[in-house]
Amino acid sequence: MITYGSRDKIFLLSGKNYSYCMYVNRMGILQHLYWGRKIAAADACFLKAQRGVAAEPSEGDRNADMATGGMPQELGSFGRGDFRSATVVVRRKDGAAMSRFCYVSHKIVKGAVPLAGMPCVRKADETLTITLRDALSDIELDLNYSVSEDSDILVRNMVVRNAGKEAAEVEKAFSFCTELPDTCGTRSALRLAGAWASERKPIVTPIAEGSLRIESLCGYSSHAMNPFLAVLSEDCGEESGECYGFNLLYSGSFAITADVSSEKSIRVQGGVNDCLFGWQLKSGESFVTPQAALCYSAAGLGGMSRAYHDFFRENIIDPKRVYVRRPVVINNWEATYFDFDNEKLCSIIDAAAQLGVDTFVLDDGWFGKRDDDTSGLGDWFVNKKKLKGGLKAVIGHCKEKGLKFGLWFEPEMVSEDSDLYRAHPDWAIGKAGVEPCRGRNQLVLDFTRREVVDYIFETVSKILRENEISYVKWDKNRDITENYTASLPADRQGEFWHRYTLGFYDLAERLTKEFPNVFFEGCAGGGGRFDGGALYYFPQIWTSDDTDGLERTKIQWGTSVCYPVSSMSCHVSACPNHQTQRTTPFATRGAVASLGATGYELDLTKLSEEEKAQVREQIANYKQTDELVLKGDLYRLSDPFCTNYFCEMLVGKDKTRAYVVGERFRGDPCDHDRVLKLRGLDEGKTYTVKELNVTASGAALMGAGLFYPRLPDCGSWIWHIEEVR
Ligand code: GLA
């Protein structure tokens, strides 16, 4: 609910468990008052009196501007007394960039406000737009806030508008800014950082005076840093204490910063990376920033995660695809790499059919001249030398065996050894006269150019139109360099990164619209583009190239801090694992993979009879629990980063069913009789834990708990829990 008290000029926004409050102060500045536990409208005046007015300069104070430096604000401006990082910087024709944005008007509308050409929240109950105008120029801002009664997520973004006659240059335009007050306690920041094959490790560091900045400079959200930051209070644990989450619904180069001022309040803001950024605004033009999903949780990290999971499933991921029962796939990548022919693929398909797999996904290597990673990208035509009878032969074989068919593309890339590059060398990102950086021997197509996106749309569409394809894996295997396009003049090169991202969104929008019955999976060298922007188009993303039974527990744990398990593709692969060389039990790999959209990534023809029996069992288990994967609430029980166990639990929304998966990493003689307390059950209900033959109340299972199973190295367990009626 959004209310505005005109006497005090106070805005109070409330969602499921939180309230967010701000007011227009005497100077016309939008001053931040509060964000935390839900409060009543009557309390807003107390907040203004206690927190707001105290920070305001007195009437007629000639030094008033300098007071803005310590004022909690909804927007940081530049060059007028606020020395913390600005949220927006616009340089005018005369070179001046100082600004003071003041309230002009506001409106409250029903629903969400769609963003053209960018991912955005699909529904909300209400949206507040506050328009501010620079007292020193003709720049206007719209600050948008969308709330929903049933959600703890507040969606924000900003639009910068040139209401003047002369062109201006936006040097920085973040999506949101907010301030968390000093609570006299230590606050820390949690980020999800990593690398290829070890994405999204939760890293917690203290927040101290000065600036903390996380960012991507790779042209996409990246393996190294997820576009997410959380600020944790001292008492924040997995299921208790306060935390604040900041998640950018954006897949390009981003930055999120947390500045602690001498007043000790923490200003958190973020958006499109301002490094190398510039955007020209002619008279009347606007720059629309991506949205950010802000979350307040008084129920610890777990509460925040569940709020984000519901938000992504209900408000971001395509409603037509989000709850689609995920096919169990067999992907041939680690089974064959580039080395396959019809015979090899058909033998994998035959084995898959016998084991109950639903979909065969043909990975890299089926197109152009593609026998290794040096050639072929961009030539989205079947390599008939490799695949006799083309895709139709493979698809026909799948159909015969009762399997559906999926196909890999890497639409944003081009190999120099390709017909596409030979025809259009200028379509690759680069600058004439500068030797381009190569990554995995390939170049990136210039998606800032409409004709390039159009061409890829046509060629990919042709394949999808002419073949029975139910699943697409959309990959992206390198970072973006050179950051230059011949399609823009010298003074507009700062637009490159964001325009590239808009090109990616344009293609994703067109393909997912054109082929509503195709299920699109995202991928970027594993989980390099796992963000809220990508989830808008891809309900599921390949979580990591690392499918090791132990490492995966960490990757999936970290990913779940923000993203729902239904969005994680999780496959069982061969051992020794191709990334870590570790051998883990087949059952463990299956158990870990069952906490996401399950599949297989190995040569099924090489499995022993015992392993085949396990695959059948794993698939049967998955088909029993996939409802919980798609719609359940996640509780993280045992942290693989700091304990000898990994354990997560999915609980149905009606609390009649739950599913627990755990792994013990190393045999440890000191592990005896440790107790694992379950979470999320209904205290008053009675449950059975099938595998243990235990019947107990939810109160007992959560209060007293169960003993951790004793298991060998990397041994795992699965518990199915059901209400006894
Ligand atoms: C990336 C993906 C893999 C596979 C290869 C193919 O690394 O993450 O799953 O598709 O590309 O080249």
Side-chain angles (χ1 to χ4, degrees), residues 196 331 333-334 337-338 363-365 370 373 408 410 440 442 473 475-477 523-527 542 544-545 601:
W196 172 79
N331 176 301
W333 178 241
E334 290 200 1
Y337 292 105
F338 295 104
D363 211 281
D364 195 353
R370 184 78 170 163
D373 64 18
W408 181 96
E410 199 177 356
R440 210 192 187 206
Q442 64 201 48
K473 177 176 173 188
D475 209 342
K476 173 193 201 304
N477 274 315
C523 176
W542 181 225
S544 175
D545 276 343
E601 182 107 4

Side-chain angles (χ1 to χ4, degrees), residues 524-658:
R529 190 161 57 189
F530 208 126
D531 57 65
L535 282 176
Y536 186 82
Y537 305 102
F538 310 138
Q540 190 175 302
I541 297 176
W542 181 225
T543 318
S544 175
D545 276 343
D546 191 343
T547 44
D548 172 78
L550 191 158
E551 289 301 313
R552 255 303 174 121
T553 64
K554 298 182 183 167
I555 296 164
Q556 292 174 206
W557 177 282
T559 304
S560 80
V561 168
C562 276
Y563 308 105
V565 291
S566 62
S567 66
M568 299 182 211
S569 298
C570 302
H571 291 181
V572 176
S573 60
C575 276
N577 179 271
H578 293 198
Q579 285 71 34
T580 63
Q581 315 312 317
R582 187 186 282 117
T583 295
T584 52
F586 198 87
T588 296
R589 284 172 267 153
V592 174
S594 72
L595 284 168
T598 296
Y600 292 83
E601 182 107 4
L602 40 68
D603 190 345
L604 292 173
T605 65
K606 299 221 168 94
L607 296 186
S608 66
E609 286 309 314
E610 197 199 324
E611 286 170 332
K612 283 186 188 160
Q614 291 196 57
V615 173
R616 286 194 190 92
E617 221 175 274
Q618 287 167 354
I619 294 178
N621 171 54
Y622 184 64
K623 300 223 155 156
Q624 252 181 57
T625 52
D626 64 349
E627 182 82 6
L628 292 175
V629 170
L630 287 177
K631 299 180 180 162
D633 283 331
L634 178 78
Y635 290 84
R636 289 180 294 257
L637 304 186
S638 192
D639 184 343
F641 290 95
C642 54
T643 74
N644 193 23
Y645 292 91
F646 158 80
C647 189
E648 286 183 354
M649 175 173 182
L650 291 167
V651 183
K653 291 271 180 204
D654 63 1
K655 299 192 182 285
T656 58
R657 286 177 72 204

